[in-house]
Amino acid sequence: MSAFLTLDGVGYETGGRTLLHGVALEARPGETVGLVGPNGSGKTTLLRCVYGALRPTAGSLRLDGGDLLALGPKARARRVASVPQDNPGEFELTVREIVAMGRAPHKRFWEPDTAQDASAVDAALARLGIADLAERAFPSLSGGERQRALVARALVQRPSLLILDEPTNHLDIRYQLEILGLIRDLDTTGLLALHDLNLAAYYCDRLYVLKAGRVAASGTPKEVLTPELLAEIYGVDAEIAVHPATGAPVITYLPAGSGSRIVS
Amino acid sequence: MRSRLRYGAVVTALLAALAAAVIAALGLGSVAIPPGQVVDALLPGAEPSPFRTIIVDVRLPRVILGAAVGAGLAVVGAVLQSLVRNRLADPFLLGISSGASTGAVLVLTLGIGATTAVAMPAGAFAGALGALVLVYALARRGGAMTGARLVLAGVTVSYILTALTTLVLVSSARPEHFREALYWSLGGLGSARWDSVWLPAAVVCAAGPLLFALARPLDLLLVGEEDATVLGLDVARFRAAVFVLVSLITAVLVAASGAVGFIGLMVPHAARLLVGATHRALLPVAALGGALALIVADLAARTLAAPQDIPVGVLTALIGGPLFLWLMRARTERGAAL
């Protein structure tokens, strides 16, 4: 149920521009690995290469030692799920219908849904707290509700690697914490792009910092999130403390020019 | 899961309406035949009678053609709307009917074939196939076939072929070609004969279950290219294959009846309002609704201004247009997002 993902020298080039340069990354079984970095640093491109929407132009991607790129779309979808960025869609499918699509990679295309499929869908809806929205039209939901439905769909897919691109966009803070907590607690290996460095610091086992398509730093949140790194990557001053209750680094951004230091 | 009870009720109501429409369409016309005698004449071992000749030899092939073309257009429309992820798509968006028109008009003006009754459908089918090959090649050029590329290629080919058709007609020495071409392009079931109706009927009977079996991957297309990929569908290949399949169906239908408008756009919409957008529910209801709509429209077309046949395409648009607007309004008032 949890996969070992290894990326080595992954590059992606399109229209003469190189968006990723020699990215090496590892996500060990059960780990939650965060990708952070400024807008345009290549987080989404890297995720799309892993879940199969883009084909990298260089390097290798291995899942449990096997070549990820050699898998057919369906075989890949049984092992790698992704929660896409929000997209309400043109047609009025219900939440249950959207979530049930997560069963597709496990079925022959003409096979109807069984009672087991239905109970997998029920369980995922309940886990995300949206059981009462099951018969609602998906486009009529709020952004946060849609996001939770898409996470439910990814769970129904029963992947060994779960990829999330900014899973906390549109979510109220309560659901941000709930979704990230859920992902951290899953056996499934998680690879997620996050904007919020404090959430990344608390919920991720390890972080990779991308800048201009390259890995600028990697390691545990404590190793990676330093005032020097934030100054170099984001061009901001910040104070970093260790939270007494959570033990995770807490970042306080400082107005430009007020200096940065470590408080312990 | 939408209520099974409600789905059953919708299908039952449509089947009942379809049966009533078939009996009405077989009974009404220049000679009116009471429903009881219509049913008697259809039973196996019925005595030969003038009524039976009218019903079985004249009206039945026309009703069968109407059911096949109506069901076929509605199903193809529903599938194409999912294929390009746009509810405004119809079976004629992607150039197939324009190709058919060009083929039919070329046959007409060049005087190929002894009788136009055989030659025009053949020309139409050849033209539709030509358009299909052209659109496919354009949409596949330089990479994967996306919905946007497919629409762009289809609309472009459509414009070029329409221009070509007009050019051929304008250059024709015989003005009656205009009228014949216009009548053909408006669509109609008047050409229905036992020796020709089997082809569209067989194609629809074979293609319907095939598309129904593809309901799951068709559903995946609704959530968009990238999501469908993540859910394990090879989107470009599936789209290309389904495009070829629905285009072939459209080509057969257009060759048999001309381009009957509006059914392929409106019926899928109405069906979605009734039973939702998943294809396992949608396609059977669209098929029944399409057959019902075209049989009723054709009955009106041949009785309203009898003995004159009004082109049925004119009626489907005239009746269907306002009905469609009413549906959309009802939907907006319920607060649904358009």
Side-chain angles (χ1 to χ4, degrees):
Chain A
M1 272 304 281
S2 62
F4 197 147
L5 175 73
T6 323
L7 270 56
D8 196 21
V10 170
Y12 183 74
E13 201 185 307
T14 182
R17 291 199 312 140
T18 308
L19 303 181
L20 294 174
H21 304 262
V23 173
L25 177 151
E26 220 178 66
R28 298 172 201 129
E31 259 190 334
T32 301
V33 172
L35 289 181
V36 298
N39 287 333
S41 59
K43 301 188 294 286
T44 298
T45 306
L46 183 60
L47 292 184
R48 294 181 74 202
C49 286
V50 178
Y51 66 70
L54 295 178
R55 200 169 177 86
T57 48
S60 74
L61 293 86
R62 310 192 77 79
L63 195 67
D64 294 330
D67 186 357
L68 184 58
L69 299 179
L71 292 179
K74 215 161 165 175
R76 190 196 56 236
R78 282 194 289 268
R79 306 175 68 179
V80 182
S82 132
V83 175
Q85 292 196 0
D86 183 44
N87 169 8
E90 161 95 358
F91 294 93
E92 287 209 340
L93 295 163
T94 65
V95 172
R96 173 178 291 280
E97 286 162 352
I98 291 274
V99 174
M101 285 183 183
R103 297 301 301 155
H106 299 278
K107 320 276 293 183
R108 311 298 293 240
F109 61 79
W110 61 86
E111 255 184 289
D113 286 346
T114 61
Q116 279 153 332
D117 296 317
S119 64
V121 171
D122 284 332
L125 289 170
R127 190 155 190 187
L128 273 296
I130 49 172
D132 51 333
L133 301 178
E135 306 306 324
R136 287 268 301 277
F138 184 74
S140 75
L141 305 185
S142 72
E145 291 166 337
R146 282 203 290 266
Q147 189 77 357
R148 283 188 282 153
L150 294 175
V151 173
R153 185 178 77 191
L155 294 187
V156 162
Q157 227 172 312
R158 302 182 72 79
S160 54
L161 172 66
L162 180 59
I163 294 170
L164 301 100
D165 194 358
E166 303 291 351
T168 54
N169 270 358
H170 310 292
L171 289 181
D172 287 337
I173 186 69
R174 176 184 152 205
Y175 292 120
Q176 295 191 15
L177 303 182
E178 271 186 27
I179 292 225
L180 291 175
L182 174 87
I183 290 156
R184 189 186 52 184
D185 295 344
L186 288 173
D187 300 339
T188 309
T189 308
L191 178 62
L192 44 155
L194 281 172
H195 259 302
D196 188 319
L197 296 179
N198 281 312
L199 289 177
Y202 182 62
Y203 285 103
C204 296
D205 298 311
R206 287 186 305 114
L207 298 178
Y208 283 82
V209 184
L210 289 185
K211 189 182 186 188
R214 296 174 202 275
V215 176
S218 66
T220 64
K222 268 184 204 162
E223 292 165 359
V224 168
L225 297 174
T226 61
E228 295 72 31
L229 181 110
L230 296 184
E232 184 204 325
I233 303 289
Y234 291 93
V236 296
D237 291 332
E239 266 184 16
I240 297 176
V242 173
H243 193 277
T246 66
V250 175
I251 301 156
T252 308
Y253 303 102
L254 301 172
S258 58
S260 68
R261 61 209 157 90
I262 296 178
V263 182
S264 54
Chain B
M1 204 174 309
R2 285 163 207 277
S3 154
R4 285 175 190 281
L5 205 67
R6 184 176 141 80
Y7 190 73
V10 168
V11 170
T12 310
L14 278 171
L15 281 172
L18 189 59
V22 167
I23 290 173
L26 292 175
L28 297 177
S30 52
V31 181
I33 305 168
Q37 297 196 34
V38 171
V39 176
D40 285 344
L42 289 176
L43 294 176
E47 295 289 309
S49 74
F51 278 179
R52 189 161 193 271
T53 309
I54 292 173
I55 288 171
V56 172
D57 292 351
V58 180
R59 290 183 189 161
L60 191 55
R62 189 160 173 156
V63 168
I64 290 174
L65 184 63
V69 170
L73 288 178
V75 166
V76 166
V79 170
L80 264 178
Q81 287 166 8
S82 304
L83 204 61
V84 302
R85 237 183 142 217
N86 188 325
R87 294 189 295 194
L88 294 179
D90 79 0
F92 309 137
L93 176 72
L94 299 181
I96 307 306
S97 62
S98 309
S101 293
T102 308
V105 164
L106 276 175
V107 165
L108 186 70
T109 51
L110 298 177
I112 304 168
T115 59
T116 52
V118 177
M120 271 181 79
F125 188 72
L129 284 190
L132 161 61
V133 170
L134 213 55
V135 173
Y136 185 93
L138 279 175
R140 274 308 278 273
R141 248 176 80 99
M145 185 190 277
T146 65
R149 287 178 75 100
L150 189 55
V151 172
L152 208 57
V155 171
T156 307
V157 167
S158 197
Y159 267 103
I160 293 170
L161 290 174
T162 306
L164 209 61
T165 307
T166 312
L167 190 66
V168 170
L169 277 177
V170 170
S171 331
S172 163
R174 292 166 55 191
E176 71 270 20
H177 284 163
F178 258 111
R179 194 182 151 78
E180 274 181 69
L182 180 67
Y183 253 84
W184 183 85
S185 69
L186 286 171
L189 307 177
S191 64
R193 303 284 177 275
W194 276 120
D195 55 12
S196 61
V197 75
W198 62 270
L199 179 63
V203 165
V204 170
C205 286
L210 183 57
L211 288 168
F212 182 74
L214 295 174
R216 187 184 292 278
L218 286 170
D219 284 349
L220 294 184
L221 288 178
L222 296 180
V223 295
E225 218 127 312
E226 186 139 334
D227 282 26
T229 307
V230 168
L231 291 167
L233 184 66
D234 187 339
V235 179
R237 265 181 63 192
F238 179 69
R239 179 179 284 123
V242 173
F243 164 69
V244 171
L245 177 62
V246 295
S247 297
L248 287 173
I249 303 168
T250 309
V252 170
L253 298 180
V254 172
S257 66
V260 178
F262 231 72
I263 302 255
L265 175 67
M266 184 194 66
V267 173
H269 270 272
R272 264 190 214 100
L273 289 178
L274 286 172
V275 297
T278 56
H279 292 80
R280 195 169 277 273
L282 173 64
L283 294 182
V285 169
L288 289 175
L292 174 66
L294 192 52
I295 288 172
V296 170
D298 183 57
L299 175 61
R302 64 188 170 79
T303 51
L304 284 182
Q308 183 77 24
D309 257 17
I310 306 170
V312 72
V314 170
L315 274 185
T316 52
L318 268 183
I319 304 169
L323 197 68
F324 188 61
L325 288 176
W326 175 77
L327 271 178
M328 298 303 268
R329 225 192 76 184
R331 195 175 143 82
T332 318
E333 278 173 359
R334 283 211 322 264
L338 277 176

